[in-house]
Amino acid sequence: MKRRSCGLAAVMVLWSAATAFAETKRVAVVVGNNAGSGEQPPLHYAETDAGKMARVLTELGGVDTADLFLLQGRGVATLKETLVLAKKRVASHHQDPANRVILIFYFSGHSDGEAFELGPDRLTFSELRRWLGTTGAEVRLALVDSCKSGALLAAKGGKLGPAFQIRLTDELSSTGEALLASSASDEIALESREIGGSFFTHHFVSGLRGPADSSGDGMVTLTEAYQYAYVHTLATTGNTMAGPQHPAYDYRLSGQGELVLTELAKPSAMIELPKGFERALVIELARDQVIAELTSDARSVVAVPPGRYAVRAWREGRVFAGRLMVTPGNRRVVSWDELSAVATSADRSKGDFDGSTLA
């Protein structure tokens, strides 16, 4: 595993009054950079993480492709130009005074605890916060995946643990701030070759595709996504040499409601896995990427775009695998008869040091 450098992994939500009849628009800036400054070795999957986040936001998160800004492997100059463009998109939506805007910022890569690193360039956390505060968006949400991110929360009185009780809604008049960290202040964050990404982003995105829908209402809220990512990040990093990784949170909010991040009624296709698996990976063959991970304690349905997929499922100490085609509008139900046992010697447990630690 490769270490991802100290930094922030946080969600900040700032929120102001709105009318019940407003139309909600979503603008997203999604950034991934494998390179860090100084002597940091390059990451393997930060840019891949950004791509996965961008896809789930456009497929299920209500972000129009025209309102998505995806930067992979670009420097700070390009990022700053993009932040200006995103701010203009927010302003364009506000030309209709009935509109409300949710602004989403995501970063995956190196940081030193004070700034994001994009190759030799840096963007400080304070610069990001200032930009968020000037965008004019009613809701500003930033998710950043990096190690030792709890250092930011410790200074603000943040807590370790999954008891995250933020309840927001697009229609509700509320104000506040929420911070989510992918690791404690003295912990590293990890990425894995098996899943092709960082553990925290992997589980957060997996949850957004359906497994985190604990209420079964067809929507994944911020609360559900965080709690799912917390539990599964802790579980999958517990057996690594680096030790368990504990996501943390801090929030200051007023008001009640739910902030829905993804709607599962919107996908063009779904895969339903057979009962009885302990763990399963769904791989999108066109990109050769793990698109979601499911466990026995979560829902067994995952929302996906149409295409060709591979499934690997663990049951009673054995691994079963198969390939399938998912067509538009199809709920593809997979049976155990379609999956064949594979040699266990080829398997890797999800806790193995098969990749790198994120630094």
Side-chain angles (χ1 to χ4, degrees), residues 261-276:
L261 294 185
T262 56
E263 295 185 40
L264 306 179
K266 292 184 176 181
S268 52
M270 302 189 83
I271 294 174
E272 181 176 348
L273 298 183
K275 303 297 183 183

Side-chain angles (χ1 to χ4, degrees), residues 13 113 168 179 218 248 302 309 317:
V13 181
L168 303 173
L179 304 170
V302 57
Y309 292 88

Side-chain angles (χ1 to χ4, degrees), residues 202-275:
H202 166 70
H203 291 302
F204 199 89
V205 170
S206 292
L208 291 179
R209 288 193 174 276
D213 179 21
S214 58
S215 67
D217 63 359
M219 297 180 289
V220 178
T221 66
L222 178 59
T223 301
E224 290 174 322
Y226 169 74
Q227 291 177 333
Y228 184 88
Y230 173 88
V231 169
H232 291 85
T233 298
L234 181 60
T236 54
T237 58
N239 294 326
T240 65
M241 292 173 60
Q245 178 182 327
H246 298 79
Y249 71 89
D250 180 64
Y251 62 90
R252 288 163 176 77
L253 300 164
S254 63
Q256 294 292 318
E258 289 281 359
L259 175 60
V260 175
L261 294 185
T262 56
E263 295 185 40
L264 306 179
K266 292 184 176 181
S268 52
M270 302 189 83
I271 294 174
E272 181 176 348
L273 298 183
K275 303 297 183 183

Side-chain angles (χ1 to χ4, degrees), residues 38-123:
E39 299 180 355
Q40 296 285 10
L43 300 170
H44 290 124
Y45 305 113
E47 294 168 23
T48 300
D49 284 345
K52 290 180 180 179
M53 181 64 72
R55 285 193 295 277
V56 77
L57 290 177
T58 53
E59 291 169 17
L60 304 172
V63 178
D64 189 272
T65 54
D67 290 327
L68 173 73
F69 299 88
L70 173 61
L71 301 180
Q72 293 168 294
R74 308 300 292 273
V76 166
T78 302
L79 174 56
K80 289 183 176 180
E81 292 171 358
T82 301
L83 296 181
V84 172
L85 294 175
K87 186 175 177 179
K88 290 180 178 178
R89 288 297 297 169
V90 173
S92 69
H93 287 309
H94 279 152
Q95 289 179 359
D96 182 344
N99 285 342
R100 299 183 69 245
V101 180
I102 297 175
L103 178 66
I104 301 168
F105 177 87
Y106 170 86
F107 175 84
S108 178
H110 283 289
S111 80
D112 62 2
E114 296 180 356
F116 310 109
E117 297 180 0
L118 299 96
D121 304 327
R122 289 160 51 87
L123 180 77

Side-chain angles (χ1 to χ4, degrees), residues 135-152:
T135 59
E138 283 77 9
V139 179
R140 283 97 73 183
L141 179 144
L143 171 63
V144 184
D145 192 353
S146 180
C147 88
K148 296 185 179 179
S149 50
L152 174 75

